[in-house]
Amino acid sequence: MKRSYSESIDTVIGNWLREQGLETPLNQYRLINAWPQVVGNYFAKYTHDLNIYNQVLFVKVSSSAVRTELSMRKEQIKEHLNKIAGAQVIADIVFR
């Protein structure tokens, strides 16, 4: 029997994750784990308690100098994170 329609496995899994409501949490998990890669180890050691709520990434920063530097790079960081996810997961970043 010859198949007339086929999909790649990544498409099938992506559709299944979307149907189950797991795509967004998976992307959020990936972004939080990619944080040190995006901002670098120096800045990552001053940040903690990363949470994503309604497409806003909340980051607690323990140094005011690091908070200022990250705030200046906010758009660049946001673009890099969304590029890693392959979707618009982060609309804004709030440094506390």
Side-chain angles (χ1 to χ4, degrees):
M1 183 164 106
K2 185 175 178 181
R3 292 184 185 195
S4 60
Y5 177 73
S6 64
E7 291 182 289
S8 65
I9 189 71
D10 62 333
T11 302
V12 172
I13 292 173
N15 290 338
W16 182 81
L17 288 171
R18 196 170 303 112
E19 289 171 5
Q20 299 299 315
L22 299 173
E23 183 179 41
T24 300
L26 180 61
N27 282 337
Q28 291 175 352
Y29 176 79
R30 286 180 184 156
L31 293 183
I32 289 173
N33 284 335
W35 179 255
Q37 173 191 348
V38 172
V39 298
N41 289 330
Y42 175 78
F43 293 113
K45 71 181 178 181
Y46 290 101
T47 59
H48 51 90
D49 294 338
L50 281 75
N51 293 305
I52 301 173
Y53 182 72
N54 287 338
Q55 292 189 322
V56 178
L57 174 63
F58 294 93
V59 182
K60 290 188 181 179
V61 185
S62 60
S63 166
S64 61
V66 170
R67 183 182 305 113
T68 302
E69 178 67 27
L70 291 173
S71 294
M72 289 190 299
R73 296 176 48 201
K74 184 190 318 191
E75 289 301 316
Q76 180 185 18
I77 293 168
K78 183 175 68 171
E79 289 174 12
H80 195 160
L81 288 170
N82 286 327
K83 184 176 179 182
I84 288 172
Q88 178 70 28
V89 178
I90 303 296
D92 194 16
I93 303 175
V94 175
F95 298 105
R96 297 181 178 180

